[in-house]
Structure formats: structure tokens, C-alpha cells
Amino acid sequence: MSRKPWELAFTAEPVEVAALRRTMRLHLGLWGMLDITDEAQLCVSELVSNVITHVGHGTPATLAVSMRGTHLRIEVHDPDTRALPVLRDPSTESLEGRGMALVDAVADRWGVLLRPDRKVTWCELATKLTAPNGHVEAPSVMRAEALLSLYAAATPLPCRTGVGRLTSVVAEETVIAAITDFLHWLRAHGRDADDTIDRAQMRFEAECAAPCEGA
């Protein structure tokens, strides 16, 4: 799976936070990493709020997201190289620095880079990936991959690799072929294919909404 870095320019205003959180969730879904959505959205909220509070409303800023090995890296760029993030003890009465304390609690690491024209506040979240372009090794994914490998070996498909993991294009064609055959199987056994697909979709959405180790 290709996970290309992306960035989004925004204006540091409270109304932007929700939109940036939604954008982060959308991309994590496309990247197959919904299991860290809550942590990633929290980091986005706090890093952006830090710019709003300490640099100022209306500041032009940029959210940049990429992979660093198997870690998800979140960066917020702003033009003020003087207002540095502050990390305070969350047990103190002061509200200042509480946001970075939350980031510190959920992220593997975080820091600040000073460039000639901007400041980059970043954090990195651990993922369940075993390789930067791999996928989360959840039991459900592993079972599907094993079945697809067996199915592809028995089904003549163009451009099959023959060894190793299936390429993304061949894998997608294999999934389509497998689903089609399962629909024929359901019809041959007098089952309602549409009902089965609806039930499978409902189960899939429920598992995506509440990911767990046993998925």
C-alpha cells in the first residue's frame, strides 16, 4: 500500500480544528490505519490549538502528514519561530502547556524544528504496521490474505506474480473474482446474495467503528 505524504494549508481558527480532524480520519481510513484515529485526531487538535493560542488567530499554517518508517508523523507548520510549545506538569493549575502534555502522553515522541521562515511542531505515533508500505497485521486481514493467496494460485489471472505477496492490482482482481464466485455459490444453494452482502457490510462497518485486537 502506497502512503504518500500529504499536506493541507489552513488558517489557525477554532472552526478549522473539526475539519482538520475529519481530514485526518479520512486519510487514515484510506491508509488502513483507523485503529490510531483517536490518537491522531487528538494530536492534530492540540498542535493546531497551540498555534491558535500562542501564535494567534488567523495565522497561516500547514498540516503535514507522512510515514517515518512504521510511525505516523504529524507536523504543524507556522511562521512564528519564537513562540515555542511548552510542556507542563498536567497536575499544575495552569492550563498553559496542557495540550502538549496530552500529545506527550499519546505520542511515541514529539519535538520542534526551527527553520529560517517557520516553526515545525511534530509528533510521531506508533502503528501496528510491520513495514511502511505494509498493512496492519490484524487476524482478519491475515485470514483474507491467506485465502486470496490460495485462490489466486488456483485461478488464472493476467499478470499474476506467482510468488510472494500479491501486487495490489492483482490482489484487487483476485478479490473481485472470489466475491463473484461466492455470489454464485450462494445462488446455487438458494441463498439471498443481496442479504448476505448487506449483512457482511454491516459487520464490516461495525468492526471499523470499534476496532479491537480480535477483529
Side-chain angles (χ1 to χ4, degrees):
M1 176 181 293
S2 176
R3 299 182 175 92
K4 296 181 179 179
W6 59 274
E7 60 181 48
L8 179 64
F10 65 93
T11 301
E13 297 288 356
V15 69
E16 293 286 342
V17 176
L20 292 170
R21 285 170 58 89
R22 288 193 298 271
T23 300
M24 174 59 76
R25 181 180 180 84
L26 173 63
H27 278 85
L28 289 179
L30 295 174
W31 283 4
M33 296 163 59
L34 283 174
D35 57 303
I36 59 170
T37 297
D38 290 344
E39 293 87 347
Q41 288 184 319
L42 183 148
C43 289
V44 168
S45 295
E46 299 307 331
L47 294 181
V48 173
S49 296
N50 196 66
V51 176
I52 297 171
T53 302
H54 299 289
V55 181
H57 289 251
T59 300
T62 301
L63 171 66
V65 181
S66 61
M67 295 299 299
R68 289 293 184 272
T70 58
H71 281 73
L72 177 73
R73 184 179 176 96
I74 302 170
E75 299 178 352
V76 171
H77 302 221
D78 72 75
D80 193 333
T81 59
R82 298 167 299 171
L84 301 181
V86 176
L87 176 61
R88 296 192 184 279
D89 185 340
S91 65
T92 63
E93 294 183 1
S94 174
L95 294 178
E96 185 178 353
R98 289 284 184 88
M100 295 313 299
L102 290 173
V103 172
D104 185 67
V106 302
D108 256 25
R109 47 187 175 261
W110 68 274
V112 182
L113 298 174
L114 296 179
R115 306 298 190 197
D117 60 340
R118 68 190 187 281
K119 172 173 82 261
V120 180
T121 308
W122 61 271
C123 67
E124 292 182 356
L125 298 173
T127 71
K128 296 179 181 177
L129 300 177
T130 57
N133 292 326
H135 55 67
V136 176
E137 300 289 352
S140 56
V141 177
M142 296 295 288
R143 289 193 298 269
E145 188 164 272
L147 285 172
L148 288 176
S149 295
L150 291 172
Y151 193 89
T155 305
L157 289 172
C159 304
R160 237 182 2 100
T161 56
V163 285
R165 293 193 174 190
L166 300 174
T167 66
S168 59
V169 174
V170 174
E172 185 174 353
E173 290 300 317
T174 304
V175 170
I176 293 172
I179 292 174
T180 301
D181 283 353
F182 276 121
L183 292 177
H184 282 298
W185 183 92
L186 288 167
R187 181 177 181 181
H189 288 77
R191 303 293 183 178
D192 187 334
D194 290 336
D195 178 65
T196 302
I197 290 174
D198 288 342
R199 288 162 56 197
Q201 182 69 26
M202 290 174 61
R203 178 181 296 183
F204 170 72
E205 291 176 356
E207 291 178 356
C208 286
C212 61
E213 288 295 330

